[in-house]
Amino acid sequence: QGSAIVSSRARVRAQAAAMDVRAGEAVNGVRMSWNIWPSTRLDATRIIVPLGCLYTPLKATEGLQLVEYEPVICKARDCGAVLNPCCFVDFHSKSWTCPFCLQRNPFPAHYAEHITEVHLPAELLPMCSTIEYIIPQTMVNPPVFLIVLDTAIIEEELDQAKDSLQQSLAMMPQNALVGFITYGAMVYVHELASTMLPKAYAFRGQKEYNAQQVAYQLGFGQKNDPRGAGVASQAARRFLMPVAECEFTLNSLLDDLTRDAWPLGGHDRRPMRCTGAALSVALGLIEATCPQSSARVTLICGGPCNVGPGMVVGEELAETIRSHLDLQRENTNAKYTKKALKFYTSLASRAVACGFAVDIFACSLDQVGLYEMKVVADKTGGFMVMSDSF
């Protein structure tokens, strides 16, 4: 009986050592909602918290294995899993079975020639459940930051916003591409390549723009251009340039930037602000130049959109902006809400399709229409920051 107790305790210690959850989290950056999975379908129906996994990308781990070759990927049509220690390996046929789709895959020739039960590649070692591939001959595109600044705010707030942007510009990587758009009653895309004479391209604030329209307006999307796409990409560099090449130009633009000069029409009217059109131009510029790249569109606004698509209130100050009660009761103050929600949802779909994020920095004592715009940041994984002042 004593020996049975000792053996059972040893078995418990062995199981505890095998289930060192914290050690697994430190190595792989993975935390499961359940550390023991249900063994039957009946057990699976009885669990209250669903099975889930929290993964931390780029987690700093000790002893991370680095390999300088391409990963071995499952050849199933809709799988794409990578060779790992959980795969079943057949050393006789020199093949491995994917644990996700059960697809049987042959090893590449240089793997099959040397692999044995004793000599295993790094991907199959149990202590190398997380490894980092250094892909040879692969170009990594630099990050892209497109700044969209509201110039219909008062001078004091505009000065603070410009100062914050200049500080952010100094902290950006020198190879990062940066672009600059301002908007008030109209949208202006600033050319950063011209150092002697500042140049900007104007877009009407009353309409939405797609990528093709933005490219044509900026001069690098001409139809049937015999010079090819190389000339178009070179022309697009005027608007998205590395920080190292355009930092002085962009700082000069910010220093000279003033409040939107469009006539306000009196103290009983709101300043004209075409936030929706500015966002559509920004998305169109990224879609035409840097699709499927690590790009962020940063919207800095200081008031509600009242011109063009996405407007949430009229120009007259007598027309108060909708409140939560107006939204619940569908009062006349909320007459723009449904159309604005539909518009910003379409912008979010465009951003998701191209794989970049939209950040919103809203600084105002009054509402800025974040209820309608938040879908853009939510769906793209961007940030939403609210404050009463820049």
Side-chain angles (χ1 to χ4, degrees), residues 41 46 99 122 141-142 144 161 172-173 186 201 211 221 238 260 268 271 287 297 324-325 328 334 350-351 365 380 385:
R41 291 191 178 184
R46 289 175 176 174
N141 294 324
V144 182
M172 289 182 183
M186 300 180 69
Y201 291 74
R238 295 175 298 158
D260 187 27
D268 60 339
E287 287 172 333
V297 176
H324 287 287
L325 192 60
Q328 293 173 1
R350 287 172 55 183
L365 289 172
T380 60
V385 179

Side-chain angles (χ1 to χ4, degrees), residues 72 74 81-91 95-100 103 105 107 123-124:
V72 179
C74 177
V82 177
L83 181 65
N84 60 82
C86 297
C87 298
F88 174 76
V89 179
D90 188 345
F91 294 99
S95 63
W96 61 281
T97 302
C98 175
F100 293 97
Q103 169 75 23
N105 302 277
F107 279 110
E123 299 96 313
L124 294 176

